[in-house]
Amino acid sequence: MAEGDNRSTNLLAAETASLEEQLQGWGEVMLMADKVLRWERAWFPPAIMGVVSLVIIYYLDPSVLSGVSCFVMFLCLADYLVPILAPRIFGSNKWTTEQQQRFHEICSNLVKTRRRAVGWWKRLFTLKEEKPKMYFMTMIVSLAAVAWVGQQVHNLLLTYLIVTSLLLLPGLNQHGIILKYIGMAKREINKLLKQKEKKNE
């Protein structure tokens, strides 16, 4: 058991080091984005929502397909330009130990997130192999629900809600807001279940 844990830890460290090497040119930009997404200042959440509102609603007003296309195009441009421009903008100052540690944490979190996504993907295919009927019903119901939501909600609003939620998620998580509301929901569900049990008695 301990040997498996050591191997997993070593593999995580190797993947993190590899990612750090790949993203070295993005270091300063990632640290700045991390500060904004984790809400290090009180005005960052409204700024995030303001920028998303301005770009998506007032400026672009894209369809979902156009929005995805523009986003990927922006990522391609950034992937090309950031490593070239970042040293000129931020200077070639040496990083502090604190900045290097935070960059390492960001890369480690990205690797863990990628592992979780791959794990969920593998579980989905395991479910398909082991319980094909359950897989079929789950996929049909899930995709039908997504299609229904897509039909009921306007493209622009849906894009706005998805982008805003994704950008606010790290800050909500960092400040414990998600755990707070999950805890409140669990308490309310437990209260309802206890009331139902008392009625049944």
Side-chain angles (χ1 to χ4, degrees):
M1 181 80 175
E3 192 176 310
D5 287 344
N6 281 342
R7 205 165 74 198
S8 177
T9 304
N10 291 340
L11 187 60
L12 177 66
E15 286 180 39
T16 302
S18 172
L19 187 62
E20 281 181 40
E21 189 178 318
Q22 292 171 10
L23 296 176
Q24 199 62 45
W26 283 78
E28 293 286 351
V29 175
M30 288 177 67
L31 289 175
M32 189 177 295
D34 179 61
K35 287 178 182 179
V36 172
L37 292 176
R38 288 186 311 121
W39 306 352
E40 285 195 1
R41 298 204 178 160
W43 57 270
F44 284 161
I48 290 171
M49 294 185 71
V51 168
V52 170
S53 300
L54 182 70
V55 170
I56 290 181
I57 295 177
Y58 293 110
Y59 185 65
L60 293 178
D61 190 13
S63 66
V64 173
L65 191 58
S66 298
V68 170
S69 177
C70 288
F71 178 71
V72 172
M73 186 171 52
F74 173 77
L75 286 180
C76 288
L77 277 170
D79 187 42
Y80 177 72
L81 294 175
V82 166
I84 295 169
L85 298 177
R88 293 179 184 162
I89 294 171
F90 297 109
S92 58
N93 297 338
K94 291 282 185 184
W95 276 23
T96 63
T97 308
E98 183 182 319
Q99 287 175 316
Q100 185 60 41
Q101 179 62 32
R102 186 64 203 143
F103 182 66
H104 176 76
E105 288 172 15
I106 293 168
C107 289
S108 178
N109 288 338
L110 288 173
V111 168
K112 289 175 186 173
T113 302
R114 182 174 62 195
R115 283 180 158 200
R116 280 190 209 111
V118 168
W120 279 102
W121 190 255
K122 287 180 180 176
R123 282 189 201 107
L124 189 64
F125 282 99
T126 302
L127 181 67
K128 180 181 178 183
E129 290 173 6
E130 293 177 359
K131 298 178 180 178
K133 290 180 183 175
M134 174 72 108
Y135 167 81
F136 177 74
M137 289 304 296
T138 303
M139 292 303 289
I140 293 298
V141 169
S142 301
L143 293 173
V146 170
W148 180 81
V149 168
Q151 185 65 28
Q152 300 300 317
V153 181
H154 190 273
N155 271 341
L156 184 61
L157 177 61
L158 201 56
T159 304
Y160 177 77
L161 291 175
I162 291 169
V163 171
T164 305
S165 300
L166 288 176
L167 290 175
L168 292 178
L169 191 62
L172 291 169
N173 191 33
Q174 175 73 20
H175 292 275
I177 297 169
I178 294 174
L179 291 176
K180 176 184 170 185
Y181 284 105
I182 287 174
M184 286 172 57
K186 284 181 181 177
R187 284 192 296 275
E188 291 300 319
I189 290 170
N190 287 337
K191 282 181 190 176
L192 291 172
L193 291 174
K194 286 178 184 177
Q195 288 175 355
K196 191 174 182 180
E197 286 174 8
K198 285 179 183 177
K199 287 180 182 177
N200 289 340
E201 291 172 1

